[in-house]
Amino acid sequence: MFNQAKTIRENYLRDEMWPSIFCTGCGIGNVLNYTLRAVDAVGLDIDKVVFCSGIGCSSRLPGYIDADGLHTTHGRSIAFATGVKLAAPELSVIVFTGDGDLAGIGGNHFIHAARRNVDMTVICINNYNYGMTGGQVSPTTPVEGFSTTTPYGNIEEPFDLCRLAIGAGAPFVARWPMGFPYETVAAAEAAIRTKGFGFLEILAPCPTGFGKSNQLRDAKSNWDWYKENSITRVELAKLSPEERAANRKIVVGTLWKADKPEYIERWQGLVERLRAEEEPAGVD
């Protein structure tokens, strides 16, 4: 089933949107591919899925999907997604966002939706810069990373988005870079199946923005960099304590799973309880 690209294209994509706007070597198109394969594997009714996004390269993705979508304002995709879920809890909500959109102006929406455990899937495409608007430094740009606004190297410590999601209370958190398609699709499936806030960070090359500023302009070298600089949790566990302490590679895989009450169900329970309390007592 995984290789049936024709099925994915015919069932889920808008023909009139092609070709895409994405640059050569960009990973965002792959994220769309992985997500739709996960949607198909889970068996979601595409007519009951709403795709939300904010502003940025990654936020263009809902427009390519033949389904209901909201292309919202910068940083507000999770706020809109929360509104959709409150208004129509029966719908599945998937958010596409970027590192600047999610962790910059959208940071508060991110942590509070995770804290509340709102039932949605958030897929953050992290390319270490504001790719659409000129390659500026973002909240995830590595220390000493170059961008158009840090020409001498970034001196700010970046967010670890997965640690942020875990600390805020998300019950499912995973991270994968480009080059692990089967694992990324499986993680997207798990995030969608999660009853609550499922968070998947996908590290995606940006040869035009971050890559150009950091000698990773070639698409292949950019993709190879992500694989060479990441390590799975299984691989990490095999290292000695000294090697683990010295590890500087990005840890990838499923980083957190937990069970906790979901916000919409709690809210519905509260509404039902208040309605019951307001009902007049029966007349004998």
Side-chain angles (χ1 to χ4, degrees):
M1 292 296 292
F2 189 87
N3 292 320
Q4 293 182 350
K6 181 180 179 181
T7 301
I8 299 298
R9 183 177 68 250
E10 291 178 349
N11 290 348
Y12 299 109
L13 296 176
R14 299 179 189 271
D15 290 336
E16 66 271 19
M17 291 296 293
W18 301 101
S20 78
I21 66 165
F22 304 122
C23 303
T24 301
C26 171
I28 295 176
N30 294 73
V31 174
L32 177 62
N33 181 18
Y34 301 158
T35 302
L36 293 178
R37 291 183 184 277
V39 166
D40 191 70
V42 172
L44 295 182
D45 180 351
I46 198 65
D47 291 326
K48 295 182 180 179
V49 181
V50 177
F51 295 88
C52 299
S53 67
I55 296 297
C57 296
S58 59
S59 294
R60 301 295 293 269
L61 287 182
Y64 293 93
I65 306 171
D66 191 12
D68 292 321
L70 290 171
H71 189 183
T72 75
T73 50
H74 194 196
R76 313 303 183 202
S77 55
I78 290 178
F80 278 82
T82 300
V84 170
K85 197 66 185 179
L86 283 166
E90 72 279 6
L91 298 177
S92 297
V93 180
I94 298 175
V95 175
F96 290 115
T97 184
D99 46 298
D101 186 58
L102 178 81
I105 193 171
N108 272 341
H109 297 300
F110 173 37
I111 60 174
H112 289 295
R115 174 181 66 83
R116 295 177 179 124
N117 197 29
V118 181
D119 186 23
M120 67 176 70
T121 301
V122 175
I123 298 175
C124 178
I125 304 169
N126 182 1
N127 58 19
Y128 295 148
N129 75 138
Y130 284 89
M132 175 175 280
T133 56
Q136 299 93 332
V137 67
S138 86
T140 63
T141 305
V143 173
E144 298 182 359
F146 295 97
S147 74
T148 55
T149 49
T150 55
Y152 305 105
N154 179 35
I155 61 172
E156 298 178 352
E157 288 291 332
F159 274 134
D160 182 324
L161 297 180
C162 287
R163 285 189 176 185
L164 190 60
I166 294 169
F172 179 85
V173 178
R175 175 196 291 129
W176 285 101
M178 288 292 109
F180 293 85
Y182 294 96
E183 294 85 349
T184 307
V185 171
E189 286 183 46
I192 291 170
R193 294 183 191 277
T194 296
K195 191 62 176 177
F197 193 91
F199 180 70
L200 173 59
E201 177 188 8
I202 302 180
L203 305 177
C206 177
T208 303
F210 185 78
K212 181 179 180 180
S213 298
N214 291 273
Q215 300 181 351
L216 291 170
R217 187 69 177 87
D218 174 69
K220 184 179 185 305
S221 64
N222 205 322
W223 281 56
D224 289 344
W225 183 92
Y226 283 87
K227 295 199 73 171
E228 293 165 0
N229 287 277
S230 61
I231 183 170
T232 67
R233 293 184 66 193
V234 174
E235 294 171 327
L236 186 67
K238 294 178 180 179
L239 301 180
S240 67
E242 293 77 16
E243 289 173 324
R244 285 198 295 272
N247 175 62
R248 293 295 178 267
K249 291 186 176 181
I250 304 164
V251 180
V252 300
T254 298
L255 306 179
W256 183 257
K257 289 179 69 175
D259 292 322
K260 60 182 294 187
E262 191 272 327
Y263 177 78
I264 305 300
E265 290 183 349
R266 278 185 161 181
W267 174 73
Q268 289 175 324
L270 174 62
V271 171
E272 291 172 4
R273 178 170 63 83
L274 293 176
R275 284 176 177 171
E277 292 175 355
E278 293 174 355
E279 288 180 358
V283 178
D284 292 335

